[in-house]
Amino acid sequence: MKPLAEHIRAITPREAFRPVVMFVPWIVCVLVALGMHTLAPLVVDDYWVNVLRRIGVFIVAAVSLNIVNGFTGQFSMGHAGFMAIGAYIGGGVTYYGSLMLHGSVGDPSFQTHGVLLMLGGVAAAGCVAAGAGYVVGLPSLRLRGDYLAIVTLGFGEIIRVLLELTTKQLYTREEVTLGALFKLPLNGPTGFERIPGYASVFWIFLFASITCLIAYRVKQSSSGRAFLSIREDEIAARAMGVNLTKYKVRAFVLAAFFGGVAGALYAHTGVNPSPTDAGFQRSFDIIIMVVLGGLGSISGSVLAAIILIALPELLRDLQQYRLIVYALLLIIMMLVRPQGLFGVREIWDFFGKKNRPTSKEESNP
Amino acid sequence: MSAAHTDDNPAKLAEQHIRPNTGDGPVMLQVSDLHMAYGAIRALHGVDLTVRQGQIVTLIGCNGAGKSTTLRSISGMCKPQRGKITLEGREILGLPSHAMVRLGMAHSPEGRGIFANLTVEENLELGAFARRDKSGIAADRERALTLFPRVRERMKQMAGTLSGGEQQMLAMARALMARPRLLLLDEPSLGLAPQIVQTIFKIIREINAAGTTVLLVEQNAHMALNIAHFGYVLEVGRIVMARPAKELAASDEVRKAYLGGH
């Protein structure tokens, strides 16, 4: 046994600061969220603060879908299905939780507990969505290419129909019993109402930045390498010892988890989640974000989410023509940069040192 | 159906050209009676071959003879209907292909299969995907890069921007990153300039000299027989000749059919 002093002397500064350095990215996430929360109301009006919350939700959705469609190259078309599961689970936990614990929903005196309920709901939403992702992904990811697109497309529609079949919402504490909850009182086609808007800019951007951080870490990890190798060449990936099904399912479940988180946050932004939120239209909105930003680029997805949520708002003055302008912009985009805004790269790869030359001429002197 | 096959005349004729691979080393890979069909199309009609430790064994034949299918069956990329494949005495037929790497077999697939949108460095890292020993990986990386200095110059470049020859070198370097005891090479000379082919074959010999057993599938019979210890000739899904490589290169049949008749 060496004396303790020697052990301490043997610690290099690098090792000593590792615990501190490890938390820095997470602290940055909190700071980003706090910064957005305090600055946003000073810079823009309430309407745009709401748009900002929507942007944050879709950053989570787009970045998570990018793990499947971008990193792993599997074309999932049912991300809205996972979002809707998340929205109903998250909203349900907060709504019925408040009703049971406090007797009413959205009471300001219950705010702190309500926010805690929301966070629990977000976690539950992520887990349930991840479970659904596992069930859907395991059989369909064994098959090649198109089948996943078809199965996930069907999955979104199945969720939509199932949500339409849910029973009427309960509004008083007396009605809420275990038996009644088992009948899924989520208000059918009308949409789940009166979920308190606890997801402030802080919470949304906290989750958005954490999602980006985790996606980035995943991209750098050995799993991430496996994802990318699957996208590039499945046969070669197998030859490297990558278990295709295992890593495809892992990517899919991860994406479903954050899809659920995005949905749960969405439910708390003062909207009424309805079955159409699980439909094809919404899935396609998210896919467009991923493709526009560049398949595999996290910062690209973030920027695309910002543009595609803000643009229709900015074009609101053009009224009925705005959809035409929107479509036109997308077509121009596809013609000019078919690989998306950033391709597979990140925004910082375009600045500073050029360590990834794109063409041979650049590197051959 | 099966009776018609065994009494098949050409098969009988071929038997006199088939000799067992009797080398010094212990048997590394043993393939026996391998049958493989893609739907109704039968690609292999009972292939037998032996690879001994320390050898370079080559499998030559024309387009569509079943060379790649044999290799793909060995590495688990396709599922043969019948037969037996053992690697160092262990039955491996039916195991998933990703498990093969952990058993010491690396497959450099036809058409190279490099990851075009990843850097050369990332490609090499993926070669060691199945391994966890960091120091061993670093050592093998150094070894691979010493064998392929061209690859070292391109480390930060996207693999898709490399020339065909460099891509082939990368594919082989990447396969070596798994530290295989048996290396399966599928058409390493495909589409490359003769000069590059020379280099590639020289390196295959070096890899073998360093202790890696090689099973080489080639259309370029001349080059392959030149470096191999033992050779098999495959014709429409059957082994029609099996002899030490020197004898094959000298035999009239092979010269006529595969070496341009000189």
Side-chain angles (χ1 to χ4, degrees):
Chain A
M1 262 308 266
K2 276 194 286 182
L4 190 64
E6 246 176 66
H7 276 289
I8 293 172
R9 229 173 287 137
I11 296 173
T12 62
R14 200 188 154 86
E15 279 172 25
F17 284 108
R18 190 176 291 158
V20 184
V21 172
M22 239 167 57
F23 284 108
V24 166
W26 305 98
I27 294 166
V28 169
C29 286
V30 176
L31 290 180
V32 166
L34 270 176
M36 294 291 284
H37 191 77
T38 44
L39 287 180
L42 301 177
V43 180
V44 291
D45 56 13
D46 279 359
Y47 178 77
W48 275 92
V49 169
N50 263 327
V51 174
L52 205 59
R53 288 159 87 194
R54 243 175 95 76
I55 286 174
V57 166
F58 278 92
I59 286 175
V60 177
V63 169
S64 59
L65 185 66
N66 206 345
I67 296 173
V68 176
N69 289 32
F71 297 180
T72 321
Q74 306 299 303
F75 211 72
S76 165
M77 295 176 84
H79 212 53
F82 296 114
M83 252 185 104
I85 289 179
Y88 275 81
I89 298 270
V93 167
T94 308
Y95 180 85
Y96 286 108
S98 305
L99 210 55
M100 284 165 82
L101 295 172
H102 192 67
S104 70
V105 180
D107 187 342
S109 67
F110 193 63
Q111 174 96 21
T112 320
H113 297 90
V115 168
L116 285 176
L117 271 178
M118 174 188 78
L119 294 180
V122 167
C127 293
V128 173
Y134 187 76
V135 171
V136 175
L138 196 58
S140 52
L141 287 165
R142 286 174 179 279
L143 306 168
R144 262 163 201 265
D146 310 341
Y147 292 99
L148 181 73
I150 294 163
V151 169
T152 48
L153 188 64
F155 167 75
E157 292 302 310
I158 289 169
I159 295 296
R160 183 178 65 80
V161 172
L162 287 180
L163 289 174
E164 278 174 4
L165 294 175
T166 53
T167 55
K168 275 235 154 303
Q169 194 169 342
L170 312 172
Y171 296 102
T172 59
R173 189 186 211 164
E174 290 69 43
E175 289 174 292
V176 181
T177 58
L178 211 55
L181 283 182
F182 266 115
K183 285 185 194 145
L184 297 175
L186 301 171
N187 224 10
T190 354
F192 199 5
E193 309 174 310
R194 300 187 197 176
I195 302 166
Y198 289 143
S200 59
V201 173
F202 171 76
W203 289 116
I204 287 177
F205 278 87
L206 182 64
F207 280 105
S209 45
I210 286 176
T211 308
C212 294
L213 175 63
I214 291 178
Y216 182 73
R217 289 263 171 103
V218 164
K219 199 179 173 184
Q220 306 293 323
S221 72
S222 117
S223 284
R225 287 281 149 76
F227 295 165
L228 293 171
S229 75
I230 292 171
R231 178 188 72 191
E232 293 295 311
D233 188 326
E234 292 203 359
I235 292 177
R238 276 162 72 186
M240 299 302 107
V242 175
N243 183 341
L244 294 188
T245 308
K246 179 175 151 190
Y247 283 98
K248 283 182 189 174
V249 169
R250 187 176 285 185
F252 197 70
V253 168
L254 201 60
F257 179 87
F258 285 106
V261 168
L265 291 171
Y266 174 72
H268 293 85
T269 55
V271 294
N272 298 343
S274 72
T276 49
D277 286 334
F280 173 67
Q281 188 61 50
R282 175 59 56 79
S283 286
F284 215 76
D285 288 345
I286 309 168
I287 289 173
I288 290 176
M289 288 173 192
V290 173
V291 174
L292 183 72
L295 288 162
S297 171
I298 298 165
S299 43
S301 288
V302 173
L303 189 64
I306 295 170
I307 292 173
L308 290 179
I309 300 290
L311 201 61
E313 303 295 336
L314 291 172
L315 295 176
R316 208 164 273 272
D317 292 338
L318 297 172
Q319 295 199 1
Q320 66 266 48
Y321 301 112
R322 72 195 166 103
L323 283 178
I324 299 176
V325 176
Y326 183 71
L328 217 60
L329 279 174
L330 278 179
I331 292 170
I332 292 170
M333 181 69 206
M334 287 298 111
L335 287 174
V336 178
R337 272 192 84 80
Q339 74 273 45
L341 285 172
F342 298 153
V344 292
R345 301 193 279 169
E346 299 296 345
I347 190 165
W348 47 86
D349 292 335
F350 290 84
F351 305 107
K353 55 182 194 295
K354 274 229 181 282
N355 58 352
R356 282 193 174 197
T358 44
S359 66
K360 236 191 136 185
E361 289 75 46
E362 280 183 60
S363 60
N364 279 352
Chain B
M1 177 83 181
S2 62
H5 272 293
T6 44
D7 294 336
D8 212 312
N9 221 19
K12 241 182 187 173
L13 262 176
E15 259 165 42
Q16 58 195 356
H17 296 295
I18 295 175
R19 286 204 220 129
N21 178 359
T22 49
D24 300 327
V27 174
M28 175 71 109
L29 179 79
Q30 178 80 57
V31 175
S32 32
D33 196 33
L34 198 65
H35 288 257
M36 168 71 206
Y38 297 101
I41 301 155
R42 301 190 54 177
L44 302 179
H45 307 264
V47 168
D48 299 271
L49 63 87
T50 308
V51 178
R52 286 179 182 275
Q53 199 178 319
Q55 285 183 324
I56 298 179
V57 171
T58 183
L59 192 58
I60 58 176
C62 307
N63 266 335
K67 304 186 300 289
S68 288
T69 304
T70 308
L71 216 56
R72 286 161 50 89
S73 302
I74 294 169
S75 67
M77 294 279 178
C78 61
K79 299 270 167 273
Q81 279 76 30
R82 211 170 88 202
K84 197 169 152 116
I85 303 173
T86 55
L87 179 71
E88 296 176 318
R90 183 177 174 163
E91 177 70 60
I92 58 164
L93 185 64
L95 289 182
S97 54
H98 58 82
M100 301 294 185
V101 185
R102 287 171 179 83
L103 295 177
M105 185 161 78
H107 183 184
S108 176
E110 192 179 5
R112 303 173 198 126
I114 54 136
F115 304 118
N117 289 313
L118 302 183
T119 62
V120 169
E121 192 164 20
E122 286 165 335
N123 268 271
L124 289 179
E125 278 170 24
L126 271 159
F129 182 78
R131 297 171 62 184
R132 291 287 171 264
D133 54 324
K134 274 195 182 154
S135 57
I137 293 172
D140 283 346
R141 188 179 131 125
E142 217 26 61
R143 195 166 73 100
L145 291 177
T146 312
L147 276 171
F148 300 98
R150 291 281 285 279
V151 173
R152 195 197 291 274
E153 290 165 24
R154 303 267 181 263
M155 287 302 265
K156 299 283 177 201
Q157 216 169 308
M158 292 294 199
T161 65
L162 301 184
S163 71
E166 288 166 346
Q167 289 189 12
Q168 182 58 51
M169 290 179 194
L170 173 59
M172 287 169 61
R174 190 183 59 181
L176 286 178
M177 290 294 289
R179 191 183 282 181
R181 290 190 295 283
L182 175 63
L183 178 62
L184 309 182
L185 293 175
D186 200 348
E187 301 266 10
S189 74
L190 195 73
L192 298 184
Q195 207 185 343
I196 310 272
V197 175
Q198 293 275 359
T199 315
I200 297 263
F201 276 83
K202 198 177 122 254
I203 295 170
I204 294 174
R205 205 179 232 165
E206 282 171 30
I207 291 169
N208 176 250
T212 308
T213 311
V214 178
L215 176 56
L216 170 68
V217 157
E218 256 305 331
Q219 274 197 62
N220 188 337
H222 180 70
M223 290 297 294
L225 291 174
N226 202 9
I227 63 163
H229 300 101
F230 200 86
Y232 289 92
V233 181
L234 202 60
E235 255 173 36
V236 281
R238 272 193 195 84
I239 299 284
V240 292
M241 290 181 101
R243 297 230 203 123
K246 293 259 164 357
E247 290 179 34
L248 271 187
S251 84
D252 289 341
E253 291 93 334
V254 171
R255 288 169 64 136
K256 262 188 213 136
Y258 302 104
L259 301 177
H262 302 301

